[in-house]
Amino acid sequence: LCLQFSLCCVLLGFMCLQFTEAPFVWWFLHFFSFLLIKKYTNKFLQVGESKSARCDDLKSLKERKCDEVKIENPRGEVTILKNKPVTVRVGNVKPKLNEITQIQPQKLSLKLRSGEPQTFKLKFKRAEDYPIDLYYLMDLSFSMKDDLENVKNLGTDLMKEMKKITSDFRIGFGSFVEKTVMPYISTTPAKLLNPCSGNQNCTSPFSYKNVLNLTDDGDKFNNLVSQQQISGNLDSPEGGFDAIMQVAVCEEQIGWRNVTRLLVFSTDAGFHFAGDGKLGGIVLPNDGKCHLENNFYTMSHYYDYPSIAHLVQKLGDHNIQTIFAVTEEFQPVYKELKNLIPKSAVGTLSSNSSNVIKLIIDAYNSLSSEVILENTKLPEGVFLSYKSFCKNNVVGTGDNGRKCSNISIGDEVEFEISVTSQKCPSNGKPETINIKLPGFSEFVEVVLNFICDCDCAATGVPNSPECNKGSGTLECGACKCNEGQIGQFCECSQDEVQTNDMDANCRKDNGTDICSNNGECVCGTCICKKRENPAEVYSGKYCDCDNFNCDRSNNKLCGGHGRCECRKCICDANYTGNACECSMDSSTCLAKNGQECNGRGKCECGVCKCSDSKFQGPTCELCPTCPGVCTEHKDCVQCLAFKTGEKKDTCQQECTKYKLEKVTERERLPQPTDEPIPRAICKERDENDCWFYFTLAVQEDDTKQVHVLEKPECPAGPDIIPIVAGVVAGIVMIGLALLLIWKLLMIIHDRREFAKFEKEKMNAIWDTGENPIYKSAVTTVVNPKYEGK
C-alpha cells in the first residue's frame, strides 16, 4: 500500500508540473515518496542493527520473514578431477611402472563454506609386484671389519630373496666413517693414510662415499663391495647422519626411481647430530643439499651434522623408508630414533651381520603392511579429520583414523576424510594441500576453494540512487558507501558533520555513554555491535535493548516458555511471571478425587503448595506419617513377600500395583531422606508372632514401591541341648568348686597344726644332768708311779 501510495504521489507530481508552475511541489512529492520507499524496502533491519545482520543462518532469516527468493545460501561441494581406478593385475601381465595406481582418487576440488565440513573417500590398494629400490649404507669404521666380509656376498643373496616379493628390484651400496677433522679423526699425515694401528691395512678416513648406484646387477654389487676396505676414527659415535642426508637428497647420483625406496643403515655405534660439529669448529647448519663430487661428500668439514627433524623432513620429502640394522647394544637408542622418524624400523644385527638378509625382509614386510596418511601444511583455519575402514571391519577414528595395519598385497582399505574451514584466507585465493602415504610416491592433490562472498556481491549497482543519490554501491541489499561517506544510506559526509554533533544523537537521556556502550555511533545513528553468539543481539535506538539479559528459570531464558524482548520476557499463552516460570494450567494440581490439591493446599504456577505439612506429593495426597498406612498395606506386603497372611489366597486379585523388592539387611532398607518421594517405614507382626520390616512409597501413578526385609524376625524357642549341657556343666563346676574349697581348708588346717608343732618344739627345755644308770665305755687308769717325767 505504501509503495502504491508513493507511485500515486509521483503521478500527482507529474500532474502538478503539467498544470502549475510550482516545481517545488514535484520535488516535495518525489522526496516524500523516496523516503517511504527507503523506509519500507529496508524494514528488514531493526533500529540499531548493523548491515552485517543481513548475513545470518537460514533458519534465523526465515523467522525474520525474509523472502526465501532473496536469500542466497551457497553450499560447499566436492568435485573429483582425476579418478583413475586402483590397479588390478590380470593374470601374469605386469603393468608398467607409470600405469600402477595404488590410491584413488588422485585430484579433487573442494568448495568450502565456513563451518561446513566437506567429506570425501580415499581408497588404497597395495599393488602386486611393485618395484623396490634398496640402498645399503654401511659403517666402515674398524669395529665393522668382520661385518664387511658377510656383506660382500649380500648382493646376489638379497636379490634371490627379494625376487620372491618383486620382479623389479635394484640395490645400491654406500659407506661412511666420520668427518675428516679433529677431534673425530687423527689428522697426522700417517694416520690420514692409515688410521688403523699395528699391521692393519686400512683406507683413508672419509665422511660418506657412494660406492654403487642402484642397479639390478647383484654380481656387480658383490664385486664392488669386496673391494672396500675398513677405515677408522677416534670417537665412538659415527657420522651416519651426514651420509643419510646425502643419500636422501642426491636422487640423481644414487639413481632413485619413483618406486618404493628402502634405506638400510647398518652400524654398531651411535651417531652425531646437529651441534656436535662445534667440537671440530663447524658451526654452519646443514643446508640439506647434495654435495657429492666423484661420489664423495665434500662438505663434511664445512657443514654441521643435520638435526633429527631435518632428516625427518628430507626422508619424508623423498619417500624413503629407513631400516636401522644395529647391534643389540644400541637397540634402545635407535628405537627412540625410530619413534621420531615415520615409516622406519629397527632390527637387531648380529655381531658379524650374518642375519642381515632376514632382517631386511622382516623390516620390509613390517613397513609395507602399514599405511599411514599424512597431509602437507594446512592453511590457517582449515582442519582435517580422518576415519579409516581397515581389514576385518576395523574402524579407526582420531589418530587411529590415519592408518591401517596388517595389509597384505592385494588388500584394499578405505579412508574417509573431512575438511572444515573456520574462516576465509586473507588473500581469498585457492589453496592446495597434498595427502600422501609415507613410503609411497603417490599422493592426492586437494584444491581448496573458499566461499567468502555471496553472488550478489558481484552484481552490485555502483552509485545507486538508493544510497543517498549515488553516494554508494547497492550491494546485497545494503549500501557500501563511497570514500568520505558514512551512514546506513551513505547520507552523511565525514567532512561536513562534526563528531560531537553525531555523538550527541547517540546518547540516551543526554547521558555519557555512547550507544549504551553496546555499539558505535555512525552518522548520528547507533549501530549495535555483534556478539559471538549470533542468536544474541543488541537492538534499540541507543542499543539499550537485548534479547539475552532476561530473567531465567530452570537455567532457561524466560523459562523456555517465552521470548526476551528488550530485557523483558514476553510469555507464551498460559504462562506468567518475570521469567515465564509460572504455568496458569491447574490441571496438574487435580487430585484423584477431582479436588484441587486434594483440598489441602493451593495451586501456584501449576504446582500444589500443601497447607498441611503432613501431606506431601504433587497433589497433597501422600501422608507417610499418617496412622494406619502400614496396617493398610500389611496383608498385601505379607502375601507378596512371604505367601502368608489373610490374603495369601487372593493376593493376585487384591494386591495389584505393588512393586516389591527384597533386601537382605535392615540397613539396606531405603530411608525417607534417600528419595524425593515420601516413604513410610513399617514394622508389623504376623500370625506366627514374627516381626517383618518394610518401607512403602506411593508414586504418582499410584504404584506402591515396597522394599521388604526378606527374613522376618521370629522369637526363638527353648534350646534343650544348651540347657541340659548348662545344667550338667553347672553341677560339675559346683562339685569341683566344693572339692577345691575342701582341699583348700585342709591345706590351711595342716599348715596351722605344723606351725603349732614347730612352735612347741622351739619352746621345750631339756635336762642336761648325767644319767645315774649311764656308764661310759671308756676306762681311765692312773699310774701311781708316774710323776710326769
Side-chain angles (χ1 to χ4, degrees):
L1 291 177
C2 294
L3 289 175
Q4 293 174 0
F5 176 72
S6 301
L7 292 175
C8 292
C9 292
V10 173
L11 292 175
L12 183 61
F14 275 114
M15 294 174 64
C16 291
L17 286 176
Q18 295 281 336
F19 299 103
T20 65
E21 295 181 358
F24 73 91
V25 177
W26 156 253
W27 289 115
F28 171 78
L29 293 174
H30 175 75
F31 179 72
F32 181 71
S33 62
F34 173 74
L35 290 179
L36 286 174
I37 293 173
K38 180 180 291 187
K39 177 178 180 181
Y40 288 99
T41 54
N42 291 279
K43 190 62 178 178
F44 177 81
L45 295 179
Q46 298 180 5
V47 178
E49 276 192 296
S50 63
K51 289 182 287 187
S52 61
R54 291 177 172 271
C55 186
D56 207 340
D57 61 90
L58 188 62
K59 181 181 177 182
S60 299
L61 291 173
K62 288 182 178 180
E63 288 178 351
R64 296 185 62 179
K65 309 302 181 184
C66 185
D67 189 355
E68 291 190 33
V69 179
K70 297 181 179 180
I71 295 178
E72 288 195 20
N73 188 25
R75 312 301 298 178
E77 62 179 3
V78 177
T79 304
I80 298 178
L81 303 178
K82 188 176 180 182
N83 192 29
K84 185 179 178 182
V86 293
T87 303
V88 178
R89 186 170 180 176
V90 180
N92 294 324
V93 179
K94 180 181 177 182
K96 296 180 181 179
L97 178 59
N98 58 356
E99 296 177 350
I100 297 177
T101 302
Q102 298 183 105
I103 190 170
Q104 178 190 2
Q106 295 78 39
K107 186 174 182 180
L108 305 97
S109 175
L110 271 62
K111 284 187 178 180
L112 297 177
R113 180 178 175 178
S114 181
E116 181 186 33
Q118 295 298 321
T119 303
F120 62 92
K121 290 188 177 181
L122 186 150
K123 184 189 299 182
F124 173 83
K125 182 178 182 180
R126 186 177 165 192
E128 301 178 32
D129 201 21
Y130 196 72
I132 299 175
D133 284 353
L134 186 147
Y135 192 86
Y136 196 91
L137 183 60
M138 185 175 180
D139 177 9
L140 284 189
S141 59
F142 187 76
S143 59
M144 294 286 286
K145 181 179 180 181
D146 55 344
D147 300 81
L148 181 60
E149 296 299 323
N150 286 305
V151 175
K152 288 180 179 179
N153 297 321
L154 177 65
T156 54
D157 294 341
L158 188 57
M159 278 282 183
K160 293 178 182 178
E161 293 296 326
M162 294 301 290
K163 287 293 184 182
K164 299 176 182 178
I165 300 175
T166 176
S167 59
D168 190 355
F169 175 73
R170 299 198 310 169
I171 189 171
F173 184 82
S175 58
F176 66 92
V177 181
E178 188 54 274
K179 288 185 181 294
T180 55
V181 296
M182 283 289 288
Y184 312 110
I185 66 167
S186 176
T187 56
T188 59
K191 290 294 184 180
L192 286 176
L193 294 176
N194 184 5
C196 301
S197 58
N199 297 325
Q200 300 289 340
N201 186 20
C202 298
T203 188
S204 300
F206 56 91
S207 177
Y208 162 67
K209 177 171 62 174
N210 177 33
V211 178
L212 175 66
N213 295 349
L214 290 165
T215 178
D216 55 3
D217 190 349
D219 293 330
K220 185 178 181 181
F221 179 93
N222 293 345
N223 293 334
L224 285 176
V225 174
S226 62
Q227 300 173 13
Q228 302 305 306
Q229 287 182 303
I230 292 296
S231 185
N233 61 317
L234 295 179
D235 61 343
S236 175
E238 314 295 1
F241 276 15
D242 273 343
I244 293 177
M245 178 62 75
Q246 293 303 301
V247 172
V249 299
C250 298
E251 286 191 328
E252 294 183 2
Q253 291 84 342
I254 301 298
W256 289 114
R257 295 180 296 170
N258 201 16
V259 296
T260 298
R261 300 176 177 182
L262 300 179
L263 171 61
V264 180
F265 182 85
S266 176
T267 184
D268 65 346
F271 49 82
H272 285 296
F273 53 91
D276 290 352
K278 292 182 180 179
L279 296 173
I282 303 173
V283 295
L284 283 178
N286 194 286
D287 64 348
K289 296 181 180 179
C290 183
H291 298 286
L292 288 185
E293 293 183 11
N294 297 323
N295 288 323
F296 281 91
Y297 178 40
T298 58
M299 301 298 285
S300 66
H301 64 287
Y302 190 75
Y303 289 116
D304 193 7
Y305 302 97
S307 65
I308 295 176
H310 200 180
L311 273 184
V312 170
Q313 177 193 351
K314 293 299 180 181
L315 290 172
D317 292 343
H318 296 274
N319 293 315
I320 296 176
Q321 304 176 71
T322 311
I323 301 173
F324 296 104
V326 297
T327 55
E328 187 173 0
E329 178 184 359
F330 288 94
Q331 282 284 309
V333 176
Y334 283 90
K335 283 184 177 179
E336 291 295 329
L337 181 61
K338 167 189 172 297
N339 296 332
L340 300 174
I341 301 180
K343 295 294 285 186
S344 62
V346 177
T348 303
L349 190 68
S350 61
S351 58
N352 57 3
S353 297
S354 59
N355 68 330
V356 66
I357 294 180
K358 184 178 184 304
L359 186 153
I360 292 173
I361 298 297
D362 292 343
Y364 169 74
N365 290 331
S366 173
L367 289 173
S368 60
S369 65
E370 185 177 51
V371 176
I372 303 175
L373 293 183
E374 288 186 352
N375 52 266
T376 55
K377 185 178 179 181
L378 298 173
E380 186 179 359
V382 176
F383 303 94
L384 263 66
S385 62
Y386 295 85
K387 187 176 182 180
S388 60
F389 302 89
C390 308
K391 288 177 62 177
N392 303 322
N393 297 322
V394 176
V395 179
T397 56
D399 290 338
N400 292 327
R402 292 175 173 265
K403 60 184 178 181
C404 283
S405 302
N406 301 322
I407 299 176
S408 305
I409 293 175
D411 288 342
E412 187 176 293
V413 295
E414 196 172 72
F415 296 89
E416 188 176 88
I417 304 172
S418 182
V419 185
T420 306
S421 175
Q422 298 295 345
K423 63 178 183 179
C424 288
S426 56
N427 56 12
K429 296 181 180 179
E431 299 279 354
T432 300
I433 61 172
N434 293 331
I435 299 175
K436 58 182 182 177
L437 293 82
F440 298 90
S441 58
E442 300 171 71
F443 61 89
V444 179
E445 182 181 354
V446 183
V447 181
L448 306 179
N449 299 284
F450 301 91
I451 303 175
C452 299
D453 293 309
C454 293
D455 295 338
C456 60
T459 58
V461 181
N463 302 320
S464 171
E466 296 291 332
C467 301
N468 193 34
K469 301 178 182 180
S471 299
T473 301
L474 185 62
E475 187 176 287
C476 296
C479 289
K480 185 177 181 181
C481 299
N482 297 334
E483 185 176 358
Q485 297 294 123
I486 57 175
Q488 186 174 359
F489 300 101
C490 310
E491 64 271 23
C492 294
S493 173
Q494 291 179 336
D495 299 331
E496 296 177 358
V497 182
Q498 296 182 0
T499 304
N500 293 334
D501 295 338
M502 291 188 293
D503 290 348
N505 295 326
C506 297
R507 294 188 177 98
K508 184 179 181 180
D509 300 331
N510 294 326
T512 58
D513 295 335
I514 296 177
C515 299
S516 305
N517 290 328
N518 295 324
E520 182 182 1
C521 187
V522 178
C523 193
T525 302
C526 284
I527 304 299
C528 303
K529 63 183 179 182
K530 298 185 69 175
R531 291 177 58 85
E532 293 183 3
N533 185 355
E536 299 178 354
V537 294
Y538 291 106
S539 60
K541 181 179 179 181
Y542 302 101
C543 300
D544 52 341
C545 293
D546 60 61
N547 65 345
F548 55 87
N549 272 325
C550 292
D551 292 335
R552 293 176 178 266
S553 177
N554 295 327
N555 203 28
K556 294 181 180 179
L557 191 67
C558 296
H561 303 297
R563 64 185 186 278
C564 181
E565 292 185 3
C566 202
R567 302 185 181 183
K568 289 184 179 180
C569 286
I570 306 299
C571 300
D572 297 339
N574 293 329
Y575 284 94
T576 184
N578 293 334
C580 302
E581 76 282 5
C582 188
S583 174
M584 300 173 66
D585 184 8
S586 61
S587 61
T588 56
C589 297
L590 295 179
K592 294 179 183 179
N593 56 13
Q595 292 184 329
E596 189 176 279
C597 298
N598 199 28
R600 296 187 175 92
K602 293 182 179 181
C603 185
E604 296 180 3
C605 299
V607 179
C608 283
K609 302 294 183 182
C610 302
S611 56
D612 192 339
S613 60
K614 293 190 300 180
F615 289 90
Q616 301 176 4
T619 55
C620 302
E621 291 181 279
L622 301 178
C623 183
T625 58
C626 293
V629 173
C630 295
T631 305
E632 179 184 352
H633 300 281
K634 165 191 169 183
D635 292 335
C636 283
V637 173
Q638 186 179 352
C639 77
L640 290 172
F642 309 109
K643 310 298 181 184
T644 61
E646 296 180 1
K647 295 184 179 182
K648 64 180 180 178
D649 297 328
T650 59
C651 192
Q652 296 298 329
Q653 293 78 20
E654 297 187 34
C655 301
T656 59
K657 288 193 176 184
Y658 279 86
K659 185 179 179 182
L660 189 137
E661 182 178 344
K662 293 183 179 181
V663 298
T664 56
E665 300 176 0
R666 285 183 59 183
E667 290 75 13
R668 296 188 178 181
L669 287 173
Q671 300 300 311
T673 57
D674 291 348
E675 302 178 24
I677 301 176
R679 184 177 298 276
I681 301 177
C682 303
K683 176 183 178 184
E684 296 294 331
R685 190 192 300 268
D686 61 11
E687 62 272 12
N688 296 322
D689 212 22
C690 298
W691 293 99
F692 61 94
Y693 298 85
F694 63 93
T695 62
L696 175 70
V698 181
Q699 298 179 338
E700 294 183 7
D701 59 352
D702 200 32
T703 300
K704 289 84 176 176
Q705 187 179 28
V706 179
H707 290 75
V708 61
L709 188 63
E710 64 179 4
K711 292 183 179 181
E713 293 183 0
C714 299
D719 197 344
I720 303 301
I721 295 176
I723 294 174
V724 173
V727 172
V728 173
I731 293 173
V732 173
M733 294 301 292
I734 292 173
L736 289 175
L738 293 174
L739 185 60
L740 288 174
I741 294 172
W742 176 80
K743 183 63 178 176
L744 180 62
L745 293 175
M746 292 302 296
I747 291 173
I748 295 173
H749 177 267
D750 290 344
R751 287 186 177 181
R752 286 182 177 177
E753 289 297 326
F754 181 73
K756 183 179 180 181
F757 168 75
E758 288 291 328
K759 184 177 180 181
E760 289 180 353
K761 181 180 176 182
M762 294 295 296
N763 293 335
I765 301 175
W766 299 94
D767 188 3
T768 58
E770 294 183 0
N771 188 353
I773 305 175
Y774 173 77
K775 289 184 178 183
S776 175
V778 181
T779 304
T780 304
V781 179
V782 179
N783 190 357
K785 295 296 185 179
Y786 178 72
E787 295 181 355
K789 298 180 177 179

